[in-house]
């Protein structure tokens, strides 16, 4: 079960979103999920968002 | 000679000249005719045994998903218990360790394999020329009685179910089932899942209260698994499956054995497990500064789609990975390594939060003893 989803940013050479989510699950595993509609974990994230989940978005300064 | 094991019957049937009712050309592939990948259960990249299973997932044999909705606890393994004299070396075994003799209405227990639509265009589903599909497999089950196997078209929400009988407890039996072609609902020609085969092992009344849907039609949940026995009703129950073949046509040919390396390569389109041991190099990277480093990671086979990446923890303990200084030492303080820019061919490591890396220098991404990087692009 998904506990949290966080956008991964690149700081090299400029700050930009890397099209990757860092996802933490209830069994404490951490996975890196690409924003690819064919990826089943990404599909699960979309369902999680539809059910009220909020993606953490903290772009570096 | 082994060539006699090739599907000569279907090949001859399929190349009949038009004057004899054929098409004059082969309609179906003679090689790789088995739609199912890893039907002999020979590949198990995730491991050969997993205990205490209570949720849906891929656990041992590649391409085979164990779907479960609150129905007991299980150990799944790649077993060497196989039908005698058939050439198989492995089977998929599930062993009930906590029973559920009275499943709730919405419970289910299924072994599933999924197929990409672009690999199924030749069955011409959704056209007047749609071909039949024939399933053959070996099964051994403690529980006897009626079992259900279902083809499910996820592009069009259509399905067909057929039942078979396990006659004798704990004895290998071969089953053959033919599904008619479906003239409705074309399959998408892409890399997404279009169809799946479901071996039902137990179900609540949400799936069993109707009439078994034995012809193609819009999928009706209550008609999915009517009559299915409950394999979860006793901790004495085991269920084995191997030699699963789904092929175009109305006859079952001999199982199409593939070389191990070919089977592994086909499985690695969906899952890859890279194992590193101490002294090897995960990747040669670059420390941009004393606090950050990057490195690339190229897959040795393109994946179906951009995969989910699971990395070892960053650190100095067995099983960790870590960026090293240019002198191959640990930094003053370890940072955190993540994966980013993931696509079907590669991704990039980025380490941040370090102190004491050698700035603007080569940095070895080091595996501390044996560690694994896992890529998952399953359907």
């Amino acid at each position: 079960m998904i506990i949290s989803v966080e956008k991964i940013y690149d700081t090299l050479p400029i700050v930009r979103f890397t099209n990757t989510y860092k996802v933490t699950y209830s069994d404490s595993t951490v996975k890196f999920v690409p924003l690819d509609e064919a990826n089943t974990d990404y599909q699960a994230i979309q369902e999680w968002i539809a059910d009220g989940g909020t993606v953490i978005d903290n772009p570096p300064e | 000679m082994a060539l006699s094991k090739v599907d000569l019957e279907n090949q001859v049937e399929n190349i009949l000249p038009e004057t004899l009712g054929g098409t004059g050309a082969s309609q179906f592939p003679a090689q790789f005719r088995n739609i199912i990948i890893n039907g002999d259960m020979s590949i198990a990249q995730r491991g050969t045994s997993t205990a205490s299973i209570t949720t849906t997932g891929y656990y041992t044999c590649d391409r085979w998903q164990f779907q479960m909705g609150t129905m007991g606890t299980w150990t799944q393994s790649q077993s060497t218990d196989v039908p005698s004299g058939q050439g198989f070396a492995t089977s998929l075994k599930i062993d009930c360790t906590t029973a559920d003799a009275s499943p709730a209405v919405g419970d289910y227990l299924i072994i599933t394999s999924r197929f990409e639509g672009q690999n199924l265009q030749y069955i011409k589903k959704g056209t007047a020329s749609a071909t039949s599909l024939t399933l053959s497999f070996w099964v051994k089950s403690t529980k006897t009685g009626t079992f259900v196997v279902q083809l499910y078209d996820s592009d069009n929400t259509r399905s067909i179910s057929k039942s078979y009988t396990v006659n004798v407890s704990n004895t290998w039996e071969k089953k053959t089932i033919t599904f008619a072609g479906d003239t409705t609902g074309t399959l998408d020609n892409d890399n997404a899942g279009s169809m799946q085969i479901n071996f039902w092992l137990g179900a609540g009344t949400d799936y069993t209260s109707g009439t078994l849907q034995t012809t193609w039609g819009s999928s009706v949940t209550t008609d999915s698994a009517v009559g299915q026995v409950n394999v979860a009703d006793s901790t004495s129950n085991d269920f084995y499956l191997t030699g699963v073949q789904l092929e175009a046509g109305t006859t079952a040919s001999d199982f199409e054995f593939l070389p191990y390396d070919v089977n592994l390569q086909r499985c690695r389109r969906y899952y890859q497990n890279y194992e590193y041991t101490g002294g090897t190099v995960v990747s040669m990277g670059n420390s941009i500064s004393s606090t950050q480093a990057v490195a690339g990671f190229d897959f040795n086979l393109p994946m179906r789609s951009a995969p989910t990446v699971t990395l070892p923890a960053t650190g100095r303990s067995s099983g960790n990975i870590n960026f090293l200084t240019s002198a191959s030492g640990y930094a003053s303080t370890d940072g955190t390594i993540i994966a980013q820019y993931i696509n079907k061919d590669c991704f990039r490591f980025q380490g941040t939060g370090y102190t004491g890396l050698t700035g603007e220098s080569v940095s070895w991404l080091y595996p501390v003893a044996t560690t694994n990087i896992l890529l998952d692009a399953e359907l």
Side-chain angles (χ1 to χ4, degrees):
Chain A
M1 188 171 68
I2 294 172
I3 298 298
S4 68
V5 179
E6 179 180 1
K7 283 186 174 182
I8 296 294
Y9 282 90
D10 184 9
T11 56
L12 303 169
I14 57 173
V15 173
R16 57 178 167 170
F17 179 44
T18 64
N19 296 320
T20 307
Y21 285 144
K22 178 183 178 182
V23 185
T24 303
Y25 295 88
S26 55
D27 64 357
S28 300
T29 60
V30 174
K31 297 182 179 182
F32 298 93
V33 178
L35 273 67
D36 182 338
E37 292 183 357
N39 181 293
T40 55
D41 291 312
Y42 177 72
Q43 294 165 10
I45 291 169
Q46 296 309 298
E47 292 178 13
W48 178 78
I49 292 170
D51 290 340
T54 302
V55 176
I56 300 167
D57 186 6
N58 291 324
E61 298 283 321
Chain B
M1 175 178 177
L3 185 60
S4 65
K5 296 295 185 183
V6 174
D7 186 13
L8 291 174
E9 182 180 351
N10 273 341
Q11 287 190 59
V12 171
E13 182 180 290
N14 295 336
I15 59 173
L16 282 174
E18 293 179 26
T19 52
L20 296 179
T23 63
S26 178
Q27 299 174 40
F28 311 130
Q31 286 77 42
F32 297 105
R33 64 183 179 279
N34 191 357
I35 292 169
I36 290 169
I37 297 172
N38 200 28
D40 63 357
M41 313 297 178
S42 60
I43 307 298
Q45 293 185 83
R46 294 170 179 82
T48 56
S49 184
T50 302
S52 306
I53 298 170
T54 57
T55 57
T56 293
Y58 291 85
Y59 293 103
T60 59
C61 298
D62 280 50
R63 304 299 343 275
W64 291 98
Q65 184 186 47
F66 199 24
Q67 291 198 74
M68 187 189 308
T70 323
M71 205 155 174
T73 306
W74 300 82
T75 295
Q76 184 185 110
S77 59
Q78 182 192 42
S79 172
T80 55
D81 188 333
V82 292
S84 177
Q86 302 302 316
F88 300 106
T90 48
S91 63
L92 175 65
K93 175 186 178 183
I94 60 164
D95 173 13
C96 184
T97 56
T98 302
D100 181 355
S102 301
V105 294
D107 290 355
Y108 54 89
L109 190 66
I110 309 168
I111 297 173
T112 293
S113 186
R114 302 172 195 273
F115 323 120
E116 295 177 54
Q118 61 191 1
N119 285 341
L120 296 176
Q121 297 301 303
Y122 69 91
I123 72 171
K124 296 169 288 204
K125 190 175 178 302
T127 75
S129 304
T131 186
S132 300
L133 295 173
T134 295
L135 172 72
S136 53
F137 59 97
W138 287 86
V139 61
K140 174 180 171 180
S141 171
T142 310
K143 189 84 178 174
T144 60
T146 300
F147 286 70
V148 172
V149 62
Q150 177 188 42
L151 284 177
Y152 182 79
D153 164 8
S154 51
D155 285 340
N156 303 285
T157 322
R158 294 173 61 79
S159 67
I160 182 172
S161 295
K162 298 281 187 178
S163 63
Y164 65 94
T165 303
V166 171
N167 297 297
V168 184
S169 181
N170 292 323
T171 303
W172 282 105
E173 300 176 22
K174 185 177 183 181
K175 306 297 176 185
T176 301
I177 296 169
T178 295
F179 298 91
D182 186 11
T183 57
T184 301
T186 57
L187 301 176
D188 297 341
N189 185 24
D190 61 21
N191 65 343
S194 286
M195 190 182 285
Q196 64 193 61
I197 190 158
N198 296 325
F199 288 88
W200 287 82
L201 304 174
T205 54
D206 280 357
Y207 306 96
T208 61
S209 59
T211 303
L212 193 65
Q213 188 170 339
T214 57
T215 58
W216 278 105
S218 294
S219 191
V220 178
T221 302
T222 53
D223 297 347
S224 297
V226 181
Q228 172 66 48
V229 297
N230 180 13
V231 178
D233 68 359
S234 168
T235 55
S236 299
N237 290 346
D238 297 334
F239 182 90
Y240 299 79
L241 186 66
T242 195
V244 188
Q245 180 154 290
L246 182 67
E247 59 194 304
T250 56
T251 57
S253 64
D254 288 346
F255 185 83
E256 183 183 32
F257 288 100
L258 297 178
Y260 181 88
D261 58 317
V262 174
N263 206 15
L264 175 61
Q265 186 155 327
R266 298 196 77 195
C267 291
R268 286 172 66 84
R269 176 171 171 79
Y270 304 90
Y271 188 84
Q272 297 185 14
N273 179 351
Y274 291 86
E275 182 168 294
Y276 296 89
T277 52
T280 63
V281 180
V282 177
S283 180
M284 289 305 294
N286 183 40
S287 47
I288 306 300
S289 66
S290 63
T291 62
Q292 299 189 69
V294 295
F297 190 91
D298 295 325
F299 311 156
N300 59 24
L301 189 74
M303 302 199 73
R304 178 189 67 83
S305 66
T308 296
V309 178
T310 304
L311 297 180
T314 309
R316 305 177 184 193
S317 302
S318 178
N320 293 164
I321 55 174
N322 216 332
F323 279 110
L324 303 183
T325 65
S326 62
S328 299
Y330 287 115
S332 306
T333 307
D334 294 334
T336 302
I337 300 171
I338 62 170
Q340 55 185 214
Y341 298 112
I342 304 164
N343 64 44
K344 68 179 178 56
D345 295 302
C346 59
F347 70 87
R348 193 179 91 180
F349 296 101
Q350 180 165 331
T352 57
Y354 282 87
T355 58
L357 288 174
T358 312
E360 300 183 21
S361 180
V362 169
S363 181
W364 177 1
L365 182 55
Y366 175 68
V368 186
T370 300
T371 192
N372 298 77
I373 292 172
L374 310 177
L375 312 177
D376 189 341
E378 262 298 352
L379 290 166

